[in-house]
Amino acid sequence: MESPVFFYVFMISFVCSSYANVCSGNQCQHVITMPLIDDMKATLKADLDITNMNNHLKAYIQQEIQKGVEIAMRDEMKKLVNKGVEMISSTVEATVDKQVTTGTSYIQWGTMNCTNNNAELIYSGFVGGSSYTGGGAPNKLCVPKEPKWGIYDGKVNSSPFVGATLFDNWDINIKDTLFDKKYTYYVIQCAVCHVTKATSTIMIPGRKTCYENWKMEYNGYLMAGYPSHKAASEYICVDGHPDHITKVPSYADKSLLYSVYSKCNGATPCPPYVDGREMACVVCSR
């Protein structure tokens, strides 16, 4: 009986030989010759069709290339997106910084310095206005101590003028406040302050504290001109602990400020307002 090994070798040789006889020309472009060795160490040759192998390899290569391209594209898109986000963030930060550093300014009436330690003192001076006897502008100014002159002739005439403003509080006497008579006839000081981390300021009459999300710059008491005087005036918030430096002997031809009180005239909500009670005030920033 013939050995099975010999039979298998014979069959492989026969198939390979038959296939080699059929394969010719372009039909052999996907055929490779592979050496075989049987148990007898005899070298055989087999022609194998690798068409399917080529197709699978090609598909695999295309798939890997596609994956590589997708990964590369994702990386590039990620870089572009990150760069865009960084540019937008930088722009936003620059805008915010510019807005924050722009800041806002206000006048602290009654003192020579800014109460808020974070506020920059631009300059200090005295409160200026027109005479209480009538005429002139109604608003008050913070006049600097060191003026710089332009063209002038030095003649006194009937034109508008600016003079120092005085406390005049003879009708009330609340100790240890600006309403104390000890402040009467003293020139009212002022300071122009600047805060960088804010964009607006408001004066709130009738309160000592700010509303939510607002920061207090200073508080004090509301003051204005006397009702029976001819001169118009405005309400200003004078610091509750004013500086009193210069006192003058007379209020003649001066601008005068008096404390303001709430009046229950039938329209004012009383309570909570109380007739005759001095009005507090607060200056807030945000």
Side-chain angles (χ1 to χ4, degrees), residues 8-245:
Y8 293 144
V9 172
F10 173 78
M11 290 299 295
I12 293 173
S13 301
F14 175 78
V15 171
C16 291
S17 299
S18 299
Y19 189 87
N21 292 331
V22 175
C23 178
S24 62
N26 292 334
Q27 297 178 353
C28 298
Q29 60 180 348
H30 297 302
V31 175
I32 62 173
T33 300
M34 178 178 291
L36 300 175
I37 300 176
D38 61 3
D39 290 343
M40 299 177 66
K41 308 301 181 182
T43 302
L44 304 174
K45 289 194 302 180
D47 294 329
L48 303 179
D49 188 349
I50 60 171
T51 302
N52 291 334
M53 183 185 298
N54 287 341
N55 291 336
H56 285 298
L57 183 59
K58 181 179 179 182
Y60 173 77
I61 293 174
Q62 289 177 342
Q63 182 179 1
E64 291 302 313
I65 291 175
Q66 183 176 358
K67 287 182 180 179
V69 171
E70 290 176 354
I71 293 173
M73 289 297 293
R74 283 199 298 267
D75 290 342
E76 289 300 318
M77 288 300 296
K78 185 177 181 180
K79 291 179 182 179
L80 290 174
V81 171
N82 290 338
K83 185 176 181 181
V85 170
E86 290 176 0
M87 292 177 63
I88 294 173
S89 299
S90 299
T91 302
V92 171
E93 289 176 0
T95 303
V96 172
D97 289 342
K98 183 178 180 181
Q99 183 183 27
V100 169
T101 55
T102 298
T104 183
S105 301
Y106 62 91
I107 298 175
Q108 184 158 345
W109 304 104
T111 64
M112 297 176 57
N113 296 288
C114 307
T115 302
N116 182 359
N117 293 330
N118 295 322
E120 174 192 0
L121 175 65
I122 300 176
Y123 71 89
S124 60
F126 61 89
V127 179
S130 57
S131 173
Y132 75 96
T133 58
N139 62 306
K140 295 292 183 286
L141 302 173
C142 186
V143 183
K145 297 176 181 179
E146 299 176 354
K148 300 294 183 181
W149 304 108
I151 298 175
Y152 61 90
D153 60 13
K155 295 180 181 179
V156 177
N157 50 42
S158 57
S159 296
F161 68 88
V162 174
T165 302
L166 308 180
F167 288 113
D168 194 1
N169 284 315
W170 285 104
D171 56 337
I172 54 179
N173 186 16
I174 303 176
K175 297 296 183 181
D176 299 325
T177 71
L178 76 90
F179 301 115
D180 195 324
K181 290 178 181 179
K182 70 181 180 181
Y183 286 96
T184 299
Y185 288 4
Y186 272 93
V187 176
I188 305 176
Q189 307 299 310
C190 59
V192 178
C193 308
H194 182 79
V195 286
T196 57
K197 294 184 178 181
T199 56
S200 62
T201 56
I202 56 173
M203 188 274 281
I204 306 175
R207 288 183 62 91
K208 296 191 300 180
T209 58
C210 301
Y211 287 104
E212 186 177 1
N213 297 325
W214 288 82
K215 181 179 179 181
M216 186 178 74
E217 297 299 324
Y218 75 94
N219 61 13
Y221 295 90
L222 203 62
M223 303 196 76
Y226 204 74
S228 63
H229 291 168
K230 294 181 180 181
S233 67
E234 63 174 338
Y235 296 106
I236 64 173
C237 185
V238 179
D239 192 283
H241 300 280
D243 297 324
H244 53 304
I245 300 174

Side-chain angles (χ1 to χ4, degrees), residues 248-269:
V248 296
S250 170
Y251 59 80
D253 211 23
K254 307 291 192 306
S255 171
L256 303 177
L257 283 179
Y258 300 79
S259 59
V260 175
Y261 66 87
S262 62
K263 184 174 182 61
C264 294
N265 57 5
T268 306

